[in-house]
Amino acid sequence: MKLLRYGPKGKEKPGLLDANGKIRDLSKHVDDVAGKVLSPASLKKLAKLDPAKLPAVRGNPRIGPCVGSIGKFLCIGLNYADHAAESGLAVPPEPVLFMKAISAVCGPNDNVEIPRKSKKTDWEVELGVVIGTEAKYVSEKEAMNYVAGFCVINDVSEREFQIERAGQWDKGKGCDTFGPIGPWLVTKDEVKDFNNLNMWLEVNGKRYQNGSTKTMVYKVPFLVSYLSQFMSLQPGDVISTGTPPGVGMGQKPNPIYLKAGQTMRLGIAGLGEQQQKTVAAK
């Protein structure tokens, strides 16, 4: 299934994308694509619905973040060997963990704000993992039992704030609109090989990132297990698993950063596409 949320910001309704690419309303069956709705039993129940019998959504509504009421937005840094190399950094001996503020979450096609005083706002296409069942001290072998599905994430980053302003990475990662999520939450049964998904990102039509999850250092089951050793993972928590090479900071001979008025377009095979316009923060 491809689950989604549509409508004005803060008033999104739950939906399902049918085989013809049409949005179907799930409001009579679930309140939101969030929390317990992401459990295996709930997803199994939704999968039995006939999309053709669900109300079709008219027009072209805004698509919101594909998960509602996110509790934790967990991110893994330097998790692609080729991206670590372009950054001039060694692959870490354990996953690097940081968090984005929940206020960074936005829809996949919403505007991305360039923060005030920003000099180095950058892009990162990433595979998102959505937790469906509480996970605490789970093994790598069992880890996928706790995953509801996958999505596209743009881990927008302000590199000066992140690297040059002292302290942790969070300052450069959690700015408003720095976490576009979606368009769909694709349930794991539809993602046959999450270790080999092509992923890409363009700015103003020029492709900068063109990679694959196959170069991920720490794979999804390991990450879910690893994170669950430090904190319980709750239904609706989102894990952003790292980016392949081609970020602005890594461009040669000189880095390239985002400015207001540009368009980012990105996607992952089978998980859909995002498109954001950059605007100056007010």
Side-chain angles (χ1 to χ4, degrees):
M1 288 184 296
K2 293 181 175 65
L3 301 174
L4 63 122
R5 301 168 69 248
Y6 68 95
K9 184 176 180 179
K11 297 181 179 180
E12 292 92 347
K13 294 182 179 180
L16 180 150
L17 193 74
D18 70 17
N20 297 315
K22 187 170 292 186
I23 298 174
R24 301 284 179 164
D25 183 29
L26 282 175
S27 296
K28 291 185 178 179
H29 299 275
V30 295
D31 293 331
D32 199 356
V33 181
K36 293 181 180 179
V37 171
L38 302 171
S39 71
S42 175
L43 293 179
K44 185 176 181 180
K45 186 176 179 181
L46 289 177
K48 292 180 179 179
L49 297 174
D50 180 358
K53 295 182 179 179
L54 296 171
V57 177
R58 296 181 180 180
N60 187 29
R62 168 187 174 269
I63 303 299
C66 60
V67 184
S69 302
I70 297 170
K72 294 191 287 296
F73 194 164
L74 303 159
C75 303
I76 306 300
L78 301 174
N79 195 32
Y80 283 67
D82 35 13
H83 171 55
E86 77 169 348
S87 302
L89 298 169
V91 173
E94 293 188 38
V96 172
L97 170 65
F98 62 92
M99 295 190 183
K100 280 184 176 284
I102 299 304
S103 52
V105 174
C106 66
N109 304 316
D110 290 346
N111 291 341
V112 165
E113 296 180 3
I114 305 297
R116 293 181 182 181
K117 299 183 180 180
S118 169
K119 299 176 183 177
K120 299 180 179 181
T121 297
D122 204 347
W123 57 81
E124 295 189 15
V125 59
E126 304 203 1
L127 174 67
V129 178
V130 181
I131 299 298
T133 305
E134 182 179 3
K136 186 174 183 179
Y137 299 121
V138 303
S139 70
E140 186 175 351
K141 184 178 179 180
E142 299 171 324
M144 292 308 296
N145 295 333
Y146 299 86
V147 172
F150 300 91
C151 63
V152 181
I153 294 176
N154 189 354
D155 175 21
V156 187
S157 310
E158 212 299 343
R159 302 302 189 186
E160 185 192 28
F161 297 178
Q162 175 189 353
I163 300 168
E164 303 171 34
R165 297 287 296 275
Q168 303 299 311
W169 286 11
D170 301 53
K171 286 185 283 189
K173 295 286 191 173
C175 304
D176 291 355
T177 73
F178 270 26
I181 296 178
W184 337 119
L185 189 170
V186 182
T187 52
K188 63 184 177 185
D189 58 292
E190 288 197 12
V191 185
K192 302 304 180 184
D193 188 2
F194 51 81
N195 289 320
N196 190 21
L197 299 174
N198 291 330
M199 52 205 307
W200 54 272
L201 183 144
E202 299 173 349
V203 179
N204 285 355
K206 180 176 179 178
R207 184 158 296 194
Y208 287 96
Q209 291 189 275
N210 199 18
S212 169
T213 57
K214 67 184 178 184
T215 66
M216 192 183 288
V217 178
Y218 299 106
K219 308 297 185 183
V220 171
F222 179 86
L223 291 174
V224 173
S225 172
Y226 181 84
L227 293 173
S228 78
Q229 309 305 309
F230 299 99
M231 65 195 79
S232 61
L233 303 177
Q234 306 296 328
D237 284 353
V238 174
I239 305 169
S240 200
T241 57
T243 197
V247 300
M249 181 175 63
Q251 298 303 308
K252 302 293 190 280
N254 298 307
I256 297 172
Y257 296 112
L258 294 165
K259 301 177 181 178
Q262 295 181 308
T263 298
M264 289 183 283
R265 186 168 160 261
L266 58 146
I268 299 178
L271 303 185
E273 297 183 9
Q274 301 183 353
Q275 182 168 299
Q276 301 106 24
K277 181 179 177 182
T278 56
V279 297
K282 296 180 180 180

